[in-house]
Amino acid sequence: MGFWQPDPLETLAGQADEVELKVVVPRRDGRSLGIDPDRGPARRVYFLDTPDLDLYRHGVIVRFRDRRRRRDDAVVKLRPVVPGRVPGWLRQTDRFQMEIDALPGHAVCSGALKERLGRNDVSRAVAAGRPLTGLLSARQRKLLAKYSPAGVGLDDLVVYGPIDVRCNNVKLRGLDRGLTAERWRFPDGSDLLELSTRCGVDEAAAVAKRVTAALRAYGVAPAAEQPTKTEMALLA
């Protein structure tokens, strides 16, 4: 499977229908793909957690995206998630999506409950000093109440961010699908360039091989470390 190893991806194959193949690459490799890290649609991303990262350590992620010219969104994600243990009320909503997140050497099944917000809802809340928790839907609050560690409530959460994000669509010779390139620049000055594509679990092995071959043709290889964007945002 090229950059992605079959184990543990094959082990998780029965847990979701879709996989997102991700790879963190050195920023210099982005230039060989024609990516300008300072161009592309701009977004600002915020996370919520306690000062001790109690949510993250219990597999719960709360994220808000200020999408500037498009509708914002709020996401409560469980990672990892065991599909058979997801409560019925959550499985029955079409806004709860499960997929396998696969990085080189690491794969995990995650489930995300996303709610669309209005345009500029996030930036207006931040500018007014209102808590971002006020943008969460009733279902998202219910999800947080169920999976947050004991003693952690909405009033205990603080903001991590903003994180400046630039997104680009990348077309490569010899590859029949586009890649999404996201450059995340964190408040401490560090940054991360991630390439990704989604596909069905049953075609993940073939897609991984094709993506690997196309990237190698451009001289692109995975970075030595493969952190997740959330990990960098909360621990940077």
Side-chain angles (χ1 to χ4, degrees):
M1 291 181 59
F3 296 155
W4 295 270
Q5 288 72 46
D7 186 27
L9 187 55
E10 289 181 349
T11 303
L12 298 172
Q15 297 191 14
D17 296 326
E18 190 174 60
V19 58
E20 185 175 15
L21 297 169
K22 308 175 183 181
V23 59
V24 177
V25 301
R27 183 171 175 176
R28 65 178 181 275
D29 285 358
R31 291 193 290 270
S32 70
L33 299 175
I35 300 171
D36 183 339
D38 296 314
R39 296 180 67 91
R43 301 170 183 173
R44 298 193 112 186
V45 176
Y46 301 81
F47 290 85
L48 294 184
D49 208 324
T50 68
D52 293 328
L53 302 181
D54 293 292
L55 293 185
Y56 177 71
R57 300 185 196 286
H58 281 74
V60 182
I61 298 164
V62 184
R63 186 195 71 207
F64 298 84
R65 289 194 298 182
D66 172 4
R67 295 161 62 91
R68 306 295 175 89
R69 298 180 181 179
R70 301 173 63 185
R71 292 178 64 183
D72 298 346
D73 60 46
V75 175
V76 177
K77 177 178 280 192
L78 306 178
R79 187 168 64 198
V81 65
V82 179
R85 298 180 183 175
V86 174
W89 67 266
L90 191 55
R91 289 198 307 270
Q92 292 165 7
T93 174
D94 58 4
R95 295 190 180 183
F96 183 72
Q97 300 294 323
M98 287 186 288
E99 69 178 12
I100 298 171
D101 297 326
L103 284 158
H106 177 70
V108 63
C109 187
S110 66
L113 181 58
K114 178 188 289 188
E115 295 288 346
R116 291 291 188 188
L117 307 174
R119 288 178 60 181
N120 303 316
D121 277 359
V122 174
S123 60
R124 281 199 292 262
V126 171
R130 298 193 302 269
L132 290 176
T133 51
L135 300 177
L136 296 172
S137 70
R139 283 182 295 190
Q140 289 176 321
R141 289 168 178 260
K142 184 177 180 180
L143 179 60
L144 272 175
K146 178 173 178 59
Y147 287 96
S148 294
V152 174
L154 295 180
D155 292 340
D156 299 311
L157 306 182
V158 299
V159 175
Y160 289 80
I163 299 146
D164 292 319
V165 179
R166 293 278 182 173
C167 298
N168 291 272
N169 293 319
V170 180
K171 293 285 189 180
L172 304 182
R173 294 187 306 273
L175 189 62
D176 59 354
R177 62 176 52 236
L179 300 180
T180 298
E182 293 190 23
R183 189 274 292 151
W184 285 46
R185 184 165 290 158
F186 302 96
D188 67 352
S190 61
D191 59 14
L192 175 150
L193 178 60
E194 180 193 84
L195 307 177
S196 65
T197 189
R198 283 185 166 86
C199 64
V201 170
D202 58 347
E203 60 177 338
V207 171
K209 290 178 181 178
R210 293 199 300 270
V211 171
T212 298
L215 291 175
R216 283 175 173 163
Y218 283 80
V220 176
E225 297 183 1
Q226 294 291 311
T228 66
K229 300 185 293 289
T230 302
E231 179 184 356
M232 288 286 291
L234 296 177
L235 301 179

